[in-house]
Amino acid sequence: DYLAQLEGRTRDQAINAVRPFVMQFGFDYANDWISGLADDGIRNRASRDMAGDLANLDPQKAGLWNAAMTDVNTRRDVSETVADRWARTDLAAARTWVERLPEDTKSEAAEGVARHFARQDPAAAAQWLTRLGDNPDLDGARRILIEESFRNSPETSLNFVSNITDQRAQQGYYWRFLGDWMRRDEAAARTWMNSNTQVLPQQIVDRFNRQ
C-alpha cells in the first residue's frame, strides 16, 4: 500500500530497498509478495528488479513464473535476465526453456543464452541461434553472438554477420571486426575475405584491398 503511493524514481528506490528483506524468505515468498502488489506498474517494476534474484534461487521456477506473465513487455524484459542467470548454471536447460517461449519473448530471452553459449562453443551457438528462425527481433541475440565469439573464433563470428537483418548494422560489423582481424592476423583475415566476396558488401572488399 505504501509503495502504491510512490512515483517515479522514489518508487524504484523503495522497491530496491525492500528487495533483500523479501528475498530472504525464499522464492515462493518473494513470488507471492510480487503477485500481491495490486498496482500493475509496481508489480511489473518489482518483477524486473527481482528477476535476477529469483532466477538465482531457482531458475526453473523463475522460468515458469516468467513464461506465465501476461504483460508482454515485462515478460520480454524479465526473460533475458532469467535466461542469463539460468545459462550460467545449466546452459542446456536454459536453451530448452528459450525454445519453448512465445515468439515475442523468445527473441529477448535468446540474448541471455547467446552470451554464455558463444563463449563456450561459438559454432554450436551459431547453429542454435540459426535454428530459432529469421525473426528480425533476434538481431539483438545475433549481435551478442558476433561480439562474444569474435575473440576465440573470428571466422565463426564473421560468418554469422550475414544473419543480421539490419543492413547498416551488418556492414558496421564487417568494418569493425574484419578490420580488427586484419590487425591481429592479416593472412587469416584476407583468406576469409577472399573466400566470402560474394556475401561481403563490395565497399568492404575494396576498402581492405586498398590497404
Side-chain angles (χ1 to χ4, degrees), residues 67-138:
M69 292 178 176
T70 56
D71 184 84
V72 176
N73 289 331
T74 304
R75 188 172 69 231
R76 282 170 52 85
D77 290 346
V78 168
S79 70
E80 182 180 355
T81 301
V82 172
D84 177 89
R85 302 301 172 88
W86 201 346
R88 296 180 189 185
T89 58
D90 191 338
L91 181 58
R95 292 200 310 263
T96 299
W97 176 71
V98 169
E99 291 163 6
R100 295 173 178 172
L101 289 170
E103 197 66 28
D104 59 14
T105 307
K106 182 189 301 181
S107 56
E108 195 74 15
E111 297 184 19
V113 168
R115 181 172 295 105
H116 299 281
F117 203 178
R119 293 171 184 170
Q120 293 185 25
D121 190 336
Q127 292 174 1
W128 175 75
L129 194 49
T130 299
R131 288 198 299 270
L132 292 186
D134 57 2
N135 185 347
D137 203 24
L138 283 165

Side-chain angles (χ1 to χ4, degrees), residues 5 17 21 48 51 77 80 89 98 112 114-117 122 131 149 152-153 171-172 177 186-187 190-191 194 198 211:
Q5 302 172 36
F21 301 100
R48 290 179 171 91
D77 290 346
E80 182 180 355
T89 58
V98 169
R115 181 172 295 105
H116 299 281
F117 203 178
R131 288 198 299 270
S149 64
N152 295 323
S153 185
Q171 183 169 319
F177 287 109
E186 184 173 352
R190 286 196 178 279
T191 297
N194 293 333
Q198 292 183 336
Q211 291 185 347

Side-chain angles (χ1 to χ4, degrees), residues 115-173:
R115 181 172 295 105
H116 299 281
F117 203 178
R119 293 171 184 170
Q120 293 185 25
D121 190 336
Q127 292 174 1
W128 175 75
L129 194 49
T130 299
R131 288 198 299 270
L132 292 186
D134 57 2
N135 185 347
D137 203 24
L138 283 165
D139 270 2
R142 295 177 185 125
R143 290 169 186 256
I144 288 172
L145 186 143
I146 291 164
E147 293 165 4
E148 293 292 344
S149 64
F150 180 74
R151 178 178 298 176
N152 295 323
S153 185
E155 185 172 352
T156 300
S157 176
L158 282 164
N159 283 339
F160 202 74
V161 171
S162 61
N163 290 282
I164 295 282
T165 58
D166 184 327
Q167 296 299 308
R168 290 185 63 185
Q170 193 182 110
Q171 183 169 319
Y173 276 113

